[in-house]
Amino acid sequence: MKVIYFDNNATTRTAPEVLEEMTPYFCEKYGNASSMHTFGGSNKRAIEKARANVASLINAQPQEVIFTSGGTEADSTAIYSSVNSYPNKKHIITSAVEHPAVLEVFKKLASQGYRVDFIGVDTNGRFDMDSFKKLIDNETALVSVMWANSETGTIFPVKEIAKITHEYGALFHTDGVQALGKIITDVKETDVDLMSFSSHKINGPKGMGGLYIKTGTRFLPFMVGGHQERLRRAGTENVPSIVGFGKAALLAKEHLKETDKIALLRDTLEKGLLEKIENTKVNGDRENRLPNTTNISFGYIEGESILMMLDEYGICASSGSACTSGSLEPSHVLRAMQVPFQFAHGSIRFSLGRYNTLEEVKKVVEVMPAIVSRLRALSPFNPGTFSAVK
Amino acid sequence: MWEYTDKVMEHFKNPKNVGEIKDADATGQVGSLVCGDALKLTLKIDKETQVIKDAKFLTFGCASAIASSSVLTEMIIGKTLEEAAKITNQDIANELGSLPEEKMHCSVMGMEALEAAIKSYKEGGKPVVYEQESSSKIICKCFNVSEETIIKAIHTNKLTTVEDITHFTKAGGACGRCKGEIQSILNKVLACENPLPAKKQFKDLTIVEKIKEVEKVLNTEVKPRLNLDGGSIELVDIQGNIISVRMLGMCGGCVNAKNTIKSFVEKVLKEKIDSSLEVHQA
């Protein structure tokens, strides 16, 4: 069965061009980039070329980018570096809808005595700027707010948040994992101090990511050991993946020119589903959203059941329902947005990528109504018989 | 991705006995939209023989919730009420082959709906929403799970950890604030089920047993605490119930060493081993 992959915010297919570029670095050019011999040492050049490509995608200088094992390490690095660089400031701010890679670090710091504020969002998932302005003060060491939300695609006003943060002398970090390659992420124009990103969300290999550190930003390494990455990230360079990430960044920059195409597919999908199926609702800020993401709630049914039925057709998506997460509560993002429970449990995120086609969109629009009716026929909350159970 | 058995998938894809019996003799309901799963079970019962002639369900929930409901209806049709009442959540899970740990609460939901339906029949057929015994204390406020439900789940499924209890009853699965309380319920139940063998008194132990016992408590309870202040402790001698210790590291030169021995070390050893113990500085 052919897979219809609409889960590109979870991960993406490694682009064949990327794999091709990586392959020689396994069995042929396997040397250690720190070695004194040409065989290994020349890999340093490949790393620097990749760094230049990644830097170019975010409009940074190459020396402002370090490679990490992924977005999670980049987030931890940025947050711990910032708080430890300003040991006298004991207040940090983030949003309530961050990825766990940020949220859990903030919770840990809270348990270690930091004063932590989690800024909420409105029902459309938009950042609550007023409460942010009220809560930031001169004690604030760090503000960390994601560039775009992975579940709803809502884009946050990082430029404005960075500006306010700097007025209070604090550092601004943004988790740019979902935004990278989907929209223009210009670190100079927005004036962020630190930005995390990940390779596998832009058709690069998994287990690879990076952190932008603006020149002049106080920095303390997270991984300590060898002298790699100019002492900012110890550990032998993952040359094949770095090279792959570089290539992926180069391709992503090209593809940024055609995000309209993806947006059109996404809009066709969204429009089709909303027209054909009753009691549906789009979660997130439709005015200001990643071009590839739509998060739709199908009322009165449960997300895991929908996903499993989609799976029968080879269609891949994800859900904010409690049952899919292992925890027993629906997604923290949807709860922060106060999505009513009858909608939160039945939320499905479709996230498109550069390989998706109109045919695939049509197929999903075609099979989805039957899936929803089948599950609603099973549900005691079928809108018609809603009073059946309290 | 959950590991579902073929039977779970079969019941999910082709659920049996879906719907609602119009003139039902019993209606049991459990769950809510907030919880993320809910089940409405309707039964047709032969008044003379008390045999369940028909059963239908409506379920809001994940694949395992739908499969549990479907298989439950198959299990109870043809059984008398008395027989049906004996079905536990474990029976439902077994009938499906198995359920992932995290999904066991789906089988519990089936059992609860059945319990409510049987009650409904006894009360003349008006729908009954499953409720925990009102006398039982609510432990998990997020999911409204009572002490009784937790104890029942521990017994029926032989649970041994708080995590298990969350998988089976959902208790502790949201904010997690009640996990401490769940642990103490678990401890109580386990203590009742496997009473510890009567402990020998310290004075009746052999010298090796005494040393082992004291070392164990020092290593697990005392040293970690002293380590925090850069200190440690060693066992020097045991005579009768009198234990001699030496403070090490930062604690060695500490003016409060004597105090620490009496107010901390001795207290812990008394508590963990025997109240007759005395601890002295060697």
Side-chain angles (χ1 to χ4, degrees):
Chain A
M1 183 169 46
K2 203 175 151 278
V3 163
I4 297 181
Y5 191 76
F6 281 6
D7 202 11
N8 286 276
N9 285 9
T11 192
T12 58
R13 173 191 185 200
T14 304
E17 303 94 311
V18 167
L19 178 64
E20 195 184 328
E21 198 93 354
M22 291 170 69
T23 311
Y25 291 92
F26 286 100
C27 296
E28 294 155 43
K29 309 181 195 176
Y30 54 82
N32 188 321
S34 303
S35 298
M36 275 304 125
H37 40 75
T38 317
F39 176 66
S42 62
N43 283 347
K44 189 91 192 144
R45 246 171 278 148
I47 292 174
E48 292 318 311
K49 189 179 144 204
R51 197 188 311 279
N53 284 336
V54 172
S56 161
L57 180 59
I58 58 171
N59 193 27
Q61 296 301 311
Q63 68 272 16
E64 293 175 311
V65 170
I66 62 167
F67 291 112
T68 67
S69 65
T72 296
E73 187 195 318
D75 284 334
S76 273
T77 304
I79 298 165
Y80 283 113
S81 166
S82 303
V83 296
N84 293 332
S85 295
Y86 293 90
N88 295 327
K89 295 184 168 187
K90 293 291 181 199
H91 178 227
I92 48 180
I93 296 178
T94 188
S95 86
V97 296
E98 295 296 311
H99 188 275
V102 169
L103 223 40
E104 292 304 315
V105 180
F106 271 73
K107 284 185 194 162
K108 194 165 172 196
L109 287 167
S111 75
Q112 289 169 1
Y114 275 84
R115 188 156 59 84
V116 181
D117 282 308
F118 297 94
I119 307 295
V121 293
D122 68 7
T123 51
N124 285 322
R126 284 176 301 214
F127 187 76
D128 182 353
M129 197 63 84
D130 290 339
S131 88
F132 169 61
K133 285 179 187 161
K134 275 185 209 128
L135 289 163
I136 189 167
D137 57 36
N138 293 322
E139 273 278 284
T140 310
L142 171 72
V143 175
S144 176
V145 176
M146 63 201 331
W147 202 309
N149 186 268
S150 55
E151 293 187 29
T152 63
T154 302
I155 298 169
F156 287 141
V158 284
K159 186 177 176 179
E160 197 183 341
I161 302 171
K163 185 166 172 279
I164 296 165
T165 303
H166 292 149
E167 283 165 14
Y168 288 87
L171 289 177
F172 180 70
H173 164 251
T174 184
D175 177 345
V177 168
Q178 286 300 344
L180 187 78
K182 297 192 182 102
I183 52 170
I184 292 169
T185 47
D186 184 328
V187 292
K188 290 283 173 306
E189 197 258 332
T190 48
D191 199 25
V192 306
D193 300 306
L194 300 139
M195 171 183 169
S196 312
F197 35 84
S198 166
S199 146
H200 74 103
K201 309 277 195 205
I202 63 162
N203 304 92
K206 294 171 181 60
M208 175 47 50
L211 179 66
Y212 160 78
I213 308 157
K214 183 165 77 186
T215 303
T217 304
R218 280 198 204 174
F219 183 79
L220 293 166
F222 184 66
M223 304 281 271
V224 185
H227 59 270
Q228 293 87 353
E229 299 291 280
R230 295 170 56 227
L231 286 170
R232 291 179 299 175
R233 201 277 187 181
T236 298
E237 296 92 341
N238 182 349
V239 183
S241 293
I242 289 174
V243 167
F245 188 17
K247 180 67 179 179
L250 198 67
L251 296 174
K253 203 175 172 190
E254 277 302 303
H255 280 281
L256 271 178
K257 292 172 195 154
E258 42 184 69
T259 50
D260 286 355
K261 259 168 68 187
I262 288 187
L264 185 66
L265 288 182
R266 189 267 318 265
D267 292 342
T268 310
L269 173 71
E270 191 172 272
K271 200 163 152 264
L273 292 175
L274 293 185
E275 269 175 14
K276 284 194 163 185
I277 305 169
E278 281 185 6
N279 285 298
T280 49
K281 167 181 178 311
V282 173
N283 301 309
D285 182 6
R286 290 174 81 173
E287 306 300 310
N288 209 358
R289 194 164 50 146
L290 293 176
N292 77 318
T293 308
T294 176
N295 186 313
I296 305 179
S297 282
F298 300 91
Y300 311 105
I301 50 178
E302 199 278 327
E304 185 201 297
S305 295
I306 302 174
L307 289 183
M308 300 209 34
M309 294 224 169
L310 283 171
D311 198 51
E312 295 290 301
Y313 298 93
I315 299 167
C316 311
S318 61
S319 169
S321 101
C323 286
T324 53
S325 61
S327 82
L328 292 164
E329 280 193 293
S331 131
H332 69 288
V333 176
L334 299 183
R335 273 185 300 132
M337 289 162 62
Q338 300 183 346
V339 175
F341 277 102
Q342 68 267 35
F343 283 107
H345 287 291
S347 78
I348 300 289
R349 177 189 71 187
F350 298 99
S351 48
L352 279 59
R354 70 175 70 136
Y355 299 112
N356 291 128
T357 63
L358 186 60
E359 281 63 49
E360 292 177 325
V361 166
K362 283 182 179 161
K363 176 79 184 169
V364 174
V365 174
E366 180 198 319
V367 304
M368 198 66 190
I371 290 175
V372 174
S373 339
R374 237 178 110 187
L375 290 171
R376 283 196 180 149
L378 283 180
S379 169
F381 303 123
N382 199 342
T385 59
F386 183 60
S387 57
V389 173
K390 176 178 66 165
Chain B
M1 192 87 201
W2 304 110
E3 287 290 330
Y4 285 135
T5 62
D6 291 346
K7 189 134 186 216
V8 171
M9 286 310 291
E10 176 52 32
H11 274 280
F12 168 60
K13 282 193 238 163
N14 302 303
K16 307 287 177 334
N17 307 310
V18 174
E20 204 172 340
I21 298 173
K22 286 254 146 37
D23 49 350
D25 298 315
T27 302
Q29 303 174 6
V30 62
S32 75
L33 266 174
V34 178
C35 300
D37 35 32
L39 165 56
K40 181 176 188 181
L41 183 68
T42 45
L43 306 178
K44 196 81 196 149
I45 294 159
D46 187 311
K47 302 260 175 336
E48 302 237 312
T49 58
Q50 303 276 294
V51 167
I52 300 173
K53 312 238 325 218
D54 197 9
K56 285 201 186 315
F57 80 92
L58 287 174
T59 290
F60 165 78
C62 53
S64 51
I66 291 170
S68 297
S69 315
S70 169
V71 84
L72 172 69
T73 58
E74 284 199 329
M75 287 167 78
I76 58 174
I77 293 175
K79 283 203 169 70
T80 63
L81 282 183
E82 202 183 332
E83 289 163 346
K86 288 183 189 139
I87 293 175
T88 66
N89 75 289
Q90 201 63 56
D91 297 331
I92 298 172
N94 289 344
E95 193 67 23
L96 287 167
S98 70
L99 280 174
E101 283 277 280
E102 295 87 344
K103 296 288 189 177
M104 285 304 290
H105 64 262
C106 295
S107 63
V108 175
M109 188 170 79
M111 181 180 71
E112 290 172 349
L114 179 61
E115 225 177 283
I118 292 171
K119 192 168 167 218
S120 149
Y121 179 72
K122 288 182 182 152
E123 290 175 4
K126 68 172 176 30
V128 169
V129 175
Y130 177 82
E131 262 176 83
Q132 334 241 355
E133 292 288 319
S134 53
S135 57
S136 181
K137 194 172 141 206
I138 297 297
I139 304 296
C140 170
K141 296 197 174 64
C142 299
F143 288 117
N144 202 33
V145 185
S146 70
E147 184 168 13
E148 196 204 333
T149 304
I150 293 171
I151 292 173
K152 200 166 158 192
I154 298 172
H155 282 302
T156 316
N157 303 290
K158 308 208 170 1
L159 306 183
T160 54
T161 66
V162 174
E163 215 185 342
D164 283 342
I165 294 172
T166 305
H167 293 330
F168 279 74
T169 65
K170 288 188 155 193
C175 71
R177 226 169 285 156
C178 59
K179 281 187 175 168
E181 226 173 320
I182 297 175
Q183 181 71 58
S184 45
I185 294 172
L186 182 65
N187 292 347
K188 249 193 295 178
V189 175
L190 292 183
C192 294
E193 285 191 348
N194 322 303
L196 292 172
K199 221 174 150 187
K200 271 205 250 175
Q201 284 198 318
F202 191 76
K203 67 177 170 53
D204 299 328
L205 298 178
T206 69
I207 185 68
V208 177
E209 282 173 337
K210 282 181 181 173
I211 294 171
K212 278 194 168 171
E213 190 86 341
V214 173
E215 286 277 10
K216 192 173 120 203
V217 175
L218 289 181
N219 285 335
T220 56
E221 308 283 335
V222 179
K223 281 184 189 168
R225 178 67 193 85
L226 298 178
N227 289 162
L228 289 180
D229 298 325
S232 193
I233 191 167
E234 71 175 344
L235 176 65
V236 177
D237 198 11
I238 300 178
Q239 286 190 340
N241 281 3
I242 298 171
I243 294 165
S244 306
V245 296
R246 185 180 295 126
M247 301 297 265
L248 303 171
M250 300 294 273
C251 300
C254 178
V255 286
N256 269 326
K258 243 187 181 152
N259 247 334
T260 307
I261 287 173
K262 276 289 160 202
S263 66
F264 173 59
V265 184
E266 183 173 285
K267 189 164 159 264
V268 171
L269 288 173
K270 275 179 181 235
E271 207 175 280
K272 297 282 169 191
I273 302 174
D274 196 306
S275 55
S276 67
L277 293 183
E278 273 179 49
V279 182
H280 293 286
Q281 191 166 16

